[in-house]
Structures are given as structure tokens and as C-alpha cells.
Amino acid sequence: MSDFFTSNSMIMLERAANFQWVKQRTILNNISNAETPNYKTRYVTFEEALRAGVRNAAQAGAPAGSMRSVLRTAIPVVHDAEDESARMDENGVNVAEQSMELVRNAYQIQHVYRAINSDMSRLIMAIRGQ
């Protein structure tokens, strides 16, 4: 039997928050290197690692509880966009694009935190007996 804090949904929310922060740092790093010659834009993926983990667990005939270990081991991966170049000095950062991605990511972080807050509010209500 699992408790509330180690449920699959809470683990997924934790991993989502971690992904969003890695993505936020990466975007900010891209913007700060917008004037660095030969700097290539970096981007973060998480879904591919999670999908591969679930697929591997399913193919291996892992028990249903293995989803928890898949969630815990899936980590965000930072990639370099080698084929992109926005300027003559081979810098690949498009500041306008990165700024839009920064705003989009901020909204995604806000959504994850609202989901965590909602789950915690329900737990508090249950504890208080309301």
C-alpha cells in the first residue's frame, strides 16, 4: 500500500516540476549566451525518456508497480541543436523564440504548482475531516 506522497501522481508531479526547472535554466542559459559566437541553442526533453521507460517496462513484462520506478528514473535530457544557426558567427540562439518559450514554460510551471497545491489542499481537508 502506498501513501499519498509516494503515489504515482505525486511522483509524476515531482518529475514534471523538475523537468520544468531544468527547462527554465536551459532557456535562460540560451538567452544569456545570445551573443556568444558558436553557441548552439539547447533544448530539454523529458517525454521521450518517460515513454522509453514505460515501453521497456511493458516489453519486459514488469509488474504493475514498476511504473513507480519508471517515473523515478526518468530524467530530463538537455540536447544541443547542432543544425541551427541564427547568425554569421554560428550562434544558434533566436532571442525572440527563446523569450516566448520562457513565457510558455512559466505557465507550465504555474500549472504544475496548481496541481500540487490542489492535491495538498485535498489532503489537508481530509486530515481536518471537512
Side-chain angles (χ1 to χ4, degrees), residues 29-37 39 87 89 91-95:
N29 191 40
N30 286 340
I31 292 172
S32 68
N33 282 294
E35 298 297 323
T36 304
Y39 181 83
R87 300 189 326 226
D89 66 356
N91 183 294
V93 178
N94 180 333
V95 176

Side-chain angles (χ1 to χ4, degrees), residues 61-126:
S66 67
M67 181 60 167
R68 188 163 306 200
S69 65
V70 168
L71 289 175
R72 288 186 196 270
T73 58
I75 58 171
V77 179
V78 180
H79 304 277
D80 289 335
E82 292 295 330
D83 58 341
E84 295 181 17
S85 185
R87 300 189 326 226
M88 302 252 328
D89 66 356
E90 298 299 316
N91 183 294
V93 178
N94 180 333
V95 176
E97 180 182 289
Q98 292 297 305
S99 297
M100 289 296 292
E101 192 62 29
L102 189 65
V103 171
R104 186 169 86 93
N105 194 59
Y107 280 117
Q108 290 173 334
I109 289 171
Q110 189 177 39
H111 177 73
V112 169
Y113 282 165
R114 281 187 183 154
I116 292 170
N117 186 37
S118 174
D119 286 352
M120 291 297 135
S121 295
R122 278 185 288 201
L123 179 62
I124 291 169
M125 284 177 47

